[in-house]
Amino acid sequence: MSFQKPKGTQDLLPGVVEKWQRFEATARGLCDRYGYKEIRTPLFEQTELFQRGVGETTDVVSKEMYTFEDKGKRSMTLRPEGTAGVVRAYVENKLYGDPDVTKLYYIGPMFRYEQPQAGRYRQFHQFGIEALGSAEPSIDAEVIAFGYRFYRELGLQGVRVELNSVGNPDSRVAYRGSLQNYLRPMLDTLCKDCQSRFEKNPMRILDCKTDAHRFDDAPSILDSLDEESAAHFAEVKQHLEAMGIPYSINSKLVRGLDYYTHTAFEFKADGIGAIDTIGGGGRFNGLVGQIGGPDQPGIGFAIGMERVLLIMEQQGVADPAALPLDVYVVAMGEQAAKYAVPLLYKLREQGVRAEKDYLSRKMKAQLKSADRLKARYAAILGDDELNRGEITVKHLENGEQASIPIDQLGDYVKPQS
Ligand code: AMP
């Protein structure tokens, strides 16, 4: 019997995983500069958290969740996104007691039962940030600028920012009415999903996978914004302009759920067929309250790692250079082979990237292995030398050779920084 990975998942093997590590290191580095601290929440949560926190009318919750009953007969779900768990932890751990804005980030796997294709997986990974506790437009702009900067730091070109406002709840009530008036005459011809969204969540109809192109002349939510919402939006745009972040307005970019407020945005890039969204986010002033916390505003984004890495590959962004091995210890003779074990331990303790043979191979094969591993030095240890307390070091690039005291090996091969 042979086993295969589950459909829609990936093995990230050495050679590829370095790209992921670079993504993660870039994310962590920027989070540090922008003041975001890491949070790690469980990979599964009570199903109800996502029903409330993502919304029962979304495709994610209604069709795509990995839900199971545990042995205690509780309904559990593998997290399909990061925000609900972060907000749950924020409430449960009373992080809202912090007088400053709470800035959190996460990197990790998410699970959605979707039809796999390029850029769409069942286990995929997101890097996300959430800023909780401020309703100021300046933080909306900062979150968007952070995302924009992140793609740039990774070396991606041509990432577009699409921006919209879904306003406050009053603005959305007004918009809902005008959107329903627009959609009503075509209701019979819409797909089944959209027909059922018409009452529950009409704004979601605008991003219907099959019919979206038919709504080009739908009313714009921006025309329904009340004074407060329009002022918030204007200020977000001013801040973006001051930072020199290019954006375009997409008034169809809506999030239908009540706890989404004001700013909504997406990051887009070409390259993976019909899929062009590589990240997205928005303000969620009602979410903390929705899942049982105090009335605290929030805003964040989630960036899909697989899609970003795919596009980086297509754009030919250079892979990070692998660090060479500092030294490969070639042991000749039984005594030397034994001695190599504590020698390697000591070298690594000194911060040296060291390797040796583990297959009792002859010297020639050991030197080949040193070449394959791109070692800078080979350190050749014979039983006689060992008795004299010496070792031969050979610079593998220029062939220079020297005999040095064994206890100086670490300092000798360590890269000069
Ligand atoms: P969402 O939480 O749906 O707004 O998704 C945020 C980002 O996660 C998207 O922009 C994608 O980059 C990524 N994403 C969402 N679903 C998937 C998936 N099934 N496979 C890979 N990436 C995904």
Side-chain angles (χ1 to χ4, degrees):
M1 169 149 191
S2 67
F3 295 101
Q4 287 174 341
K5 59 185 178 295
K7 196 172 162 187
T9 66
Q10 295 192 91
D11 295 318
L12 301 173
L13 305 179
V16 169
V17 85
E18 291 77 6
K19 299 172 202 270
W20 288 68
Q21 290 168 341
R22 175 170 53 176
F23 181 114
E24 289 162 4
T26 306
R28 290 182 200 286
L30 264 190
C31 282
D32 186 43
R33 272 186 263 162
Y34 278 79
Y36 286 79
K37 303 268 192 302
E38 183 172 9
I39 181 167
R40 300 188 190 191
T41 64
L43 294 194
F44 63 96
E45 300 266 4
Q46 262 172 279
T47 301
E48 204 185 333
L49 174 68
F50 301 115
Q51 289 166 339
R52 281 167 165 262
V54 183
E56 286 185 90
T57 57
T58 60
D59 282 357
V60 170
V61 170
S62 63
K63 298 179 186 164
E64 298 168 359
M65 293 208 301
Y66 277 93
T67 297
F68 60 96
E69 197 173 79
D70 72 6
K71 291 191 197 301
K73 304 240 174 294
R74 288 171 287 255
S75 179
M76 293 291 167
T77 293
L78 299 185
R79 64 181 189 189
E81 55 93 61
T83 305
V86 170
V87 172
R88 194 246 338 114
Y90 171 79
V91 173
E92 189 174 339
N93 296 285
K94 300 194 173 51
L95 302 185
Y96 48 79
D98 188 339
D100 289 311
V101 172
T102 306
K103 290 173 153 187
L104 302 168
Y105 81 92
Y106 57 86
I107 303 181
M110 308 292 161
F111 306 87
R112 295 184 193 174
Y113 194 83
E114 291 198 83
Q115 221 28 63
Q117 63 181 87
R120 183 164 285 139
Y121 300 90
R122 289 183 174 170
Q123 175 173 331
F124 62 100
H125 298 75
Q126 285 182 341
F127 158 48
I129 67 170
E130 316 288 359
L132 293 136
S134 166
E136 265 195 23
S138 68
I139 200 145
D140 302 38
E142 188 185 279
V143 165
I144 296 168
F146 182 136
Y148 180 78
R149 193 66 229 144
F150 174 66
Y151 295 113
R152 295 301 296 259
E153 300 243 333
L154 281 176
L156 268 191
Q157 307 286 334
V159 175
R160 304 183 296 279
V161 178
E162 292 191 359
L163 182 67
N164 196 23
S165 170
V166 295
N168 58 16
D170 286 346
S171 307
R172 267 202 321 279
V173 169
Y175 181 59
R176 188 188 155 95
S178 66
L179 184 62
Q180 282 176 324
N181 288 342
Y182 163 81
L183 292 168
R184 198 167 283 112
M186 56 173 106
L187 188 56
D188 291 346
T189 67
L190 298 181
C191 74
K192 273 224 314 271
D193 281 348
C194 285
Q195 292 189 9
S196 73
R197 287 173 186 144
F198 184 77
E199 287 301 335
K200 282 191 276 186
N201 190 354
M203 280 154 74
R204 279 294 321 284
I205 296 178
L206 292 179
D207 52 36
C208 169
K209 287 195 178 93
T210 46
D211 285 334
H213 62 280
R214 295 176 53 194
F215 312 128
D216 286 347
D217 56 352
S220 162
I221 189 161
L222 296 175
D223 296 330
S224 299
L225 296 187
D226 63 11
E227 210 174 309
E228 182 223 335
S229 304
H232 185 102
F233 192 43
E235 218 180 297
V236 173
K237 289 188 288 186
Q238 278 163 17
H239 289 307
L240 287 174
E241 280 149 29
M243 287 185 280
I245 310 292
Y247 63 85
S248 59
I249 302 291
N250 175 358
S251 64
K252 299 270 173 1
L253 207 168
V254 291
R255 300 178 158 234
L257 300 164
D258 287 345
Y259 43 79
Y260 287 118
T261 50
H262 300 289
T263 311
F265 58 93
E266 274 182 355
F267 299 110
K268 297 201 165 173
D270 299 328
I272 329 178
I275 291 177
D276 61 359
T277 307
I278 56 172
R283 185 165 267 294
F284 47 82
N285 288 357
L287 180 56
V288 182
Q290 173 77 19
I291 66 172
D295 188 19
Q296 286 282 351
I299 179 157
F301 67 58
I303 288 177
M305 291 178 70
E306 285 80 359
R307 292 187 191 173
V308 170
L309 290 166
L310 267 171
I311 294 177
M312 282 171 73
E313 198 162 316
Q314 282 174 8
Q315 293 192 357
V317 177
D319 285 342
L323 283 175
L325 196 62
D326 295 323
V327 63
Y328 190 101
V329 175
V330 177
M332 295 184 320
E334 220 172 287
Q335 213 194 331
K338 265 206 182 121
Y339 186 81
V341 176
L343 178 60
L344 267 275
Y345 182 80
K346 175 93 188 302
L347 287 170
R348 290 162 178 162
E349 191 183 64
Q350 290 176 277
V352 173
R353 307 177 72 248
E355 195 50 280
K356 75 174 195 69
D357 169 72
Y358 304 95
L359 300 168
S360 305
R361 288 178 297 196
K362 298 229 154 55
M363 180 174 171
K364 206 168 150 200
Q366 292 191 37
L367 282 168
K368 271 197 182 152
S369 179
D371 274 341
R372 273 197 303 277
L373 295 172
K374 301 194 171 51
R376 290 169 41 247
Y377 289 96
I380 303 156
L381 187 63
D383 289 350
D384 287 350
E385 273 187 303
L386 183 56
N387 289 334
R388 291 200 306 273
E390 289 188 346
I391 192 162
T392 303
V393 275
K394 184 174 176 188
H395 195 288
L396 290 178
E397 215 164 90
N398 61 21
E400 270 172 33
Q401 211 162 299
S403 189
I404 60 164
I406 291 188
D407 57 8
Q408 289 177 16
L409 179 62
D411 288 335
Y412 193 93
V413 299
K414 234 182 179 169
Q416 310 298 321
S417 52

